[in-house]
Amino acid sequence: MAELLTAYIVPALPIVGGVILLLIIANGYVKAPPDQAYIISGLKKESKVLIGRAGLRIPFLERLDRLYLGQMTVDIKTEQPVPTNDFINVNVDAVAKVRISLTNEGIKLASKNFLNKAPADITMDLQDSLQGNMREIIGTLSLKEINTDRDSFSDQVMSKASKDMDKLGIEILSCNIQNVTDENGLIRDLGADNTSKIKKDAAIAKAQADRDIAIAQAEADKASNDARVLAQTEIAQKNNELAIKKAELQKASDTKKAEADAAYEIQRQEQEKTIQTATVNAQIAKAEREAELRKQQVAIQQQALEAEINKKADADRYAVEQKAAADLSKRQREAEAKKYELEMEAEALRAQAEKEAEAMKARAAAARYAAEQEASGIRFAAEQEAAGIQAKGAAEAAAIQAKLLAEAEGMEKKAEAYSKYNNAAVIEMMVNIMPQMAAEIARPLSSIDKVNIYGGGEGGSGIGQVTGSGATVMQQVFDTMSEATGVDFREILKAQTFDAKVTRNINVTGITAGESPAREALGDGKQDQA
């Protein structure tokens, strides 16, 4: 029996062992998906981690655990209002995307905390930590920063939470702020403020656009008006040129007609030819001489006017310089204006005389052309008569010129006399205006009805101060005039006093050193008296 058992059992042992090995392999073969980590532990000190690959687990000796590696969504909400940096209570709703870190250290830490847990359980465990981190970040920011820069807010939350999540083996992929609300509606008010600003900017932009449109329309109207004015100007110029051309043609026609009429008159009145020729030549010569005489008269009158204006302007300028510098400029401008007007009048007279002479020449040209062929015999007599007329005109012109020169010399002598009477003239003017100045200064005193005197004090009698103010005011007036004009009136008056003339040194001519040039101009009689 034993031999029989040995004969059958011994050959079957390898088969049984192979079957048992196949069963062990079939039961211990595992294959991990990509979103999970299979952790095999038991026999070795370090656990085996399978992610997206196959492996063997020895049944009854090794343990198989699962760890979810996929992306998980964590809702982060503040359960209660959280005060911001500016003490405004807000509620923040955010969403964070997390997963188990795929590093060996991250899987090792996560396997200690989230092994064999569902994704929902893992997110519930992380929610409290992420909410605490978000509440801390909210307390460091203002309400405006949270709303206007949500990316920075979420980055700060991620940076703050990453430190705690690293200890759990969790990696934060993203954090997005979904909603921010407050209890008092401040965010809505900020939006209303921005809305009003946007409306204001839009209104300003619309007004600027309307202004630009109006400017462009005005420029277009201006360009249209300029083109219309230019076209009308060109039309007027063409019409003017046409009128000028017609006038020239009419002038040529009139000239030819006058020549024909003159020839007809010559043929018709051959017997009166001699008398008419002499008369015409005499008239021509007279007209030419009259034109020359008028030119000379205009030139002489212009020279006389210029001389008179220059002398008068020099005298006025000297007087104005002694009175005030400002008045000088005004008189100079008036003199220049008057001179300019006179020059323009003289130019107009000259032009008018030239035009009249040319007109007379033109009228006489036709008659002279018709008569000059047969007037050679009488021309000598006419020339003699014309020479007499010329001599008479020359004499009259010379008389007029002499008269004007005499007047100009008189004006010049008068100006030289005024220039020599500088100090004397100033003294005479000062003496003439001193009574008027004293009357004007004393006029306020005449309006005083009653004066109460309570003692002189250190300044002397009170009535003396009142009456002495007139002399003080006159002294101040003379000082002000001296500063304004540069003329020392005190020195001029002092130089004319008896003491200055008697006690000072006397020169060889008998004139004291203090005498002004005005006294020198008075003649030798006064020098002898000195």
Side-chain angles (χ1 to χ4, degrees):
M1 188 64 180
E3 293 177 357
L4 182 61
L5 291 172
T6 303
Y8 286 101
I9 293 173
V10 172
L13 287 175
I15 296 172
V16 173
V19 172
I20 294 171
L21 182 59
L22 289 175
L23 292 172
I24 292 172
I25 293 173
N27 193 24
Y29 178 79
V30 293
K31 186 177 182 181
D35 61 343
Q36 289 187 4
Y38 283 2
I39 300 173
I40 300 173
S41 59
L43 293 179
K44 297 180 180 180
K45 184 177 181 181
E46 294 290 335
S47 300
K48 183 188 295 185
V49 179
L50 300 176
I51 302 174
R53 61 189 181 91
L56 291 176
R57 177 185 67 86
I58 300 174
F60 309 109
L61 298 178
E62 291 181 333
R63 175 185 174 87
L64 177 62
D65 296 301
R66 294 175 176 82
L67 183 64
Y68 182 71
L69 301 178
Q71 178 178 290
M72 295 171 285
T73 302
V74 183
D75 290 334
I76 310 173
K77 296 182 180 180
T78 55
E79 300 297 337
Q80 297 177 352
V82 181
T84 61
N85 187 25
D86 46 1
F87 304 102
I88 299 174
N89 293 327
V90 295
N91 292 315
V92 180
D93 183 8
V95 175
K97 301 291 184 179
V98 299
R99 71 178 180 182
I100 305 289
S101 179
L102 299 180
T103 62
N104 292 331
E105 184 66 24
I107 293 175
K108 186 182 294 185
L109 293 173
S111 62
K112 294 179 181 180
N113 297 287
F114 310 110
L115 198 61
N116 298 322
K117 284 188 176 183
D121 297 333
I122 297 175
T123 56
M124 289 297 295
D125 294 340
L126 299 176
Q127 192 173 26
D128 294 338
S129 178
L130 291 174
Q131 285 180 355
N133 292 323
M134 188 173 68
R135 293 169 71 91
E136 292 179 3
I137 298 301
I138 291 172
T140 62
L141 299 175
S142 63
L143 178 61
K144 188 174 182 180
E145 291 174 344
I146 293 173
N147 282 278
T148 57
D149 196 359
R150 295 192 177 186
D151 291 338
S152 176
F153 177 37
S154 61
D155 291 341
Q156 293 185 43
V157 173
M158 288 178 60
S159 176
K160 178 69 176 176
S162 295
K163 297 178 181 179
D164 295 336
M165 295 296 104
D166 290 341
K167 297 177 182 179
L168 299 176
I170 299 297
E171 179 184 359
I172 301 176
L173 300 177
S174 64
C175 180
N176 296 318
I177 307 301
Q178 299 293 327
N179 191 19
V180 179
T181 59
D182 67 292
E183 296 178 348
N184 298 320
L186 295 176
I187 297 175
R188 184 177 62 254
D189 295 338
L190 291 174
D193 185 25
N194 291 331
T195 301
S196 63
K197 289 181 180 179
I198 292 171
K199 289 182 179 180
K200 178 182 177 182
D201 294 339
I204 293 173
K206 184 177 182 302
Q208 291 177 350
D210 294 339
R211 181 197 62 190
D212 295 339
I213 292 171
I215 292 173
Q217 184 67 34
E219 291 178 352
D221 294 340
K222 181 179 179 297
S224 177
N225 185 60
D226 293 342
R228 183 170 61 256
V229 170
L230 181 60
Q232 293 178 356
T233 303
E234 291 179 355
I235 291 171
Q237 290 178 352
K238 295 298 182 181
N239 291 333
N240 189 23
E241 292 176 357
L242 178 61
I244 293 172
K245 189 67 176 178
K246 288 181 178 180
E248 292 177 353
L249 294 175
Q250 184 66 34
K251 179 180 178 181
S253 177
D254 293 340
T255 302
K256 295 296 183 181
K257 184 178 179 181
E259 292 176 356
D261 293 341
Y264 177 76
E265 288 294 330
I266 293 171
Q267 294 296 329
R268 188 177 64 85
Q269 298 179 355
E270 290 180 352
Q271 300 300 326
E272 300 177 359
K273 187 183 301 180
T274 303
I275 299 173
Q276 291 179 354
T277 302
T279 303
V280 168
N281 289 333
Q283 291 177 354
I284 292 172
K286 182 179 180 181
E288 291 177 350
R289 297 308 177 187
E290 287 178 354
E292 292 293 332
L293 179 60
R294 287 183 182 179
K295 288 183 180 181
Q296 292 179 2
Q297 289 177 351
V298 169
I300 293 170
Q301 184 178 4
Q302 181 180 3
Q303 293 176 359
L305 290 175
E306 289 179 353
E308 181 179 358
I309 291 169
N310 291 332
K311 296 299 182 180
K312 188 176 184 299
D314 292 337
D316 292 341
R317 182 171 61 252
Y318 178 78
V320 171
E321 286 176 352
Q322 299 302 320
K323 182 180 180 181
D327 195 17
L328 171 62
S329 177
K330 179 179 177 182
R331 291 182 179 274
Q332 284 179 340
R333 289 195 298 269
E334 291 177 353
E336 290 176 357
K338 185 175 180 181
K339 179 181 177 181
Y340 178 76
E341 291 176 357
L342 292 173
E343 289 178 352
M344 294 300 295
E345 291 178 357
E347 183 67 25
L349 291 174
R350 186 187 301 111
Q352 184 178 0
E354 291 177 355
K355 288 182 180 179
E356 291 179 356
E358 290 177 358
M360 293 179 68
K361 287 181 179 180
R363 288 194 300 268
R368 183 176 59 184
Y369 176 78
E372 66 183 359
Q373 299 296 329
E374 298 180 3
S376 58
I378 307 173
R379 184 177 300 277
F380 177 78
E383 288 178 354
Q384 294 295 325
E385 183 179 358
I389 295 172
Q390 181 179 5
K392 182 180 179 181
E396 292 177 354
I400 294 172
Q401 183 176 6
K403 180 181 179 181
L404 294 175
L405 289 175
E407 292 178 354
E409 289 176 357
M411 293 295 292
E412 184 176 0
K413 295 296 184 179
K414 185 177 181 181
E416 290 177 357
Y418 274 121
S419 66
K420 294 179 180 179
Y421 290 162
N422 50 5
N423 286 345
V426 171
I427 293 169
E428 183 179 358
M429 288 188 293
M430 290 175 61
V431 171
N432 290 333
I433 65 171
M434 282 180 66
Q436 184 179 358
M437 290 174 56
E440 293 296 330
I441 293 171
R443 180 178 296 177
L445 297 177
S446 63
S447 62
I448 298 175
D449 184 25
K450 183 178 181 182
V451 178
N452 294 326
I453 301 174
Y454 296 98
E458 294 180 358
S461 176
I463 191 64
Q465 295 178 358
V466 173
T467 56
S469 61
T472 303
V473 172
M474 288 191 67
Q475 180 179 359
Q476 292 177 355
V477 169
F478 277 103
D479 293 340
T480 303
M481 291 174 62
S482 297
E483 292 178 358
T485 60
V487 178
D488 194 344
F489 294 101
R490 291 185 178 181
E491 291 297 329
I492 294 174
L493 293 173
K494 188 184 294 183
Q496 302 302 320
T497 60
F498 179 81
D499 182 67
K501 295 179 179 180
V502 174
T503 59
R504 294 190 180 182
N505 294 329
I506 300 174
N507 56 16
V508 294
T509 60
I511 301 175
T512 61
E515 284 187 329
S516 63
R519 186 168 181 83
E520 296 176 4
L522 297 179
D524 297 332
K526 292 186 179 180
Q527 291 178 0
D528 295 337
Q529 293 177 2

